[in-house]
Amino acid sequence: MKETNYEFYVQQKCISMIKSIANVCSIQFSSHSTHLLAFGSADYKTYCYDLRNTRIPWCTLVGHGKAVSYVKFLDSETLVSASTDNTLKLWDLKKTRSNGLSNSACSLTFTGHTNEKNFVGLSVSDGYIACGSETNEVCAYYKSLPMPITLHKFGSIDPISGQETSDGNGQFVSSVCWRGNSDMLIAANSTGTIKLLQMV
């Protein structure tokens, strides 16, 4: 009996290329448009591109003091960026300039979490914004309020008892994700603890 070995190939074709002058930390398609994307960069800027013309950015958002680690589209006209300068920024894309830097498009700066060296995650859902913190906490913001609306502290796991303690011990929340359009959020920290959280 002859053995048949089936191999399937998916061919990929580059249809466009964008060359960034600095490291790209995060990239995101807009779920509200078929032709918009944004990326955060190590040069402290967020770049927005229209895929119909990738020669130059559609806009360049400036205002962070360190690398932009995450970008997320909140809706069709709003972008959120996270940086290792301890801030999140809300950008009004209607106020951007297509020829140059857009520093007046920032409509709100969120503070209340600590993020100076690690990637701590960023997730958005229906006007809510969540990120991790180097204080081993999950921070949730609402799009119109500059401070967290709630915080959840991860404890550390005692290696002897296996119980959670309140000491963060240098740990940080490293990833967050909203569950669709719901009040549930999943978060993980730097030691592998994963928690399912619900806003009440």
Side-chain angles (χ1 to χ4, degrees):
M1 177 172 241
K2 183 178 178 186
E3 183 178 316
T4 304
N5 185 8
Y6 293 100
E7 293 185 26
F8 296 95
Y9 295 96
V10 176
Q11 190 174 15
Q12 295 178 345
K13 179 175 123 181
C14 180
I15 57 173
S16 184
M17 186 169 72
I18 298 169
K19 183 67 179 150
S20 174
I21 60 171
N23 291 346
V24 174
C25 301
S26 172
I27 193 161
Q28 178 81 47
F29 278 112
S30 170
S31 61
H32 309 281
S33 168
T34 58
H35 56 269
L36 291 182
L37 70 84
F39 64 84
S41 180
D43 67 358
Y44 310 176
K45 297 180 183 110
T46 300
Y47 296 89
C48 299
Y49 276 84
D50 184 325
L51 293 175
R52 297 169 295 187
N53 178 14
T54 58
R55 287 182 299 122
I56 58 170
W58 167 61
C59 69
T60 303
L61 305 171
V62 295
H64 280 296
K66 285 188 170 181
V68 178
S69 50
Y70 292 99
V71 293
K72 298 285 182 181
F73 285 91
L74 192 60
D75 56 45
S76 63
E77 299 173 340
T78 314
L79 185 76
V80 178
S81 60
S83 171
T84 53
D85 65 2
N86 294 311
T87 67
L88 306 178
K89 291 193 179 285
L90 189 71
W91 303 94
D92 183 346
L93 297 179
K94 296 181 308 236
K95 294 182 179 178
T96 59
R97 295 176 39 199
S98 58
N99 57 350
L101 304 177
S102 296
N103 52 7
S104 62
C106 180
S107 57
L108 191 60
T109 298
F110 302 94
T111 58
H113 64 286
T114 301
N115 183 205
E116 296 177 347
K117 60 183 176 181
N118 299 295
F119 280 32
V120 295
L122 178 68
S123 186
V124 298
S125 178
D126 198 28
Y128 291 95
I129 304 159
C131 69
S133 178
E134 291 168 359
T135 56
N136 209 24
E137 294 173 296
V138 177
C139 299
Y141 296 90
Y142 188 68
K143 65 181 179 180
S144 60
L145 301 171
M147 74 291 276
I149 57 171
T150 188
L151 298 167
H152 176 80
K153 179 83 170 168
F154 270 61
S156 61
I157 304 299
D158 181 275
I160 297 170
S161 69
Q163 299 296 314
E164 187 174 58
T165 66
S166 61
D167 177 27
N169 208 18
Q171 300 169 19
F172 61 95
V173 172
S174 55
S175 187
V176 293
C177 182
W178 288 105
R179 181 181 180 189
N181 289 324
S182 76
D183 59 357
M184 295 182 75
L185 176 76
I186 194 160
N189 79 350
S190 55
T191 61
T193 301
I194 300 171
K195 289 187 176 184
L196 183 61
L197 306 170
Q198 185 173 21
M199 288 192 27
V200 289

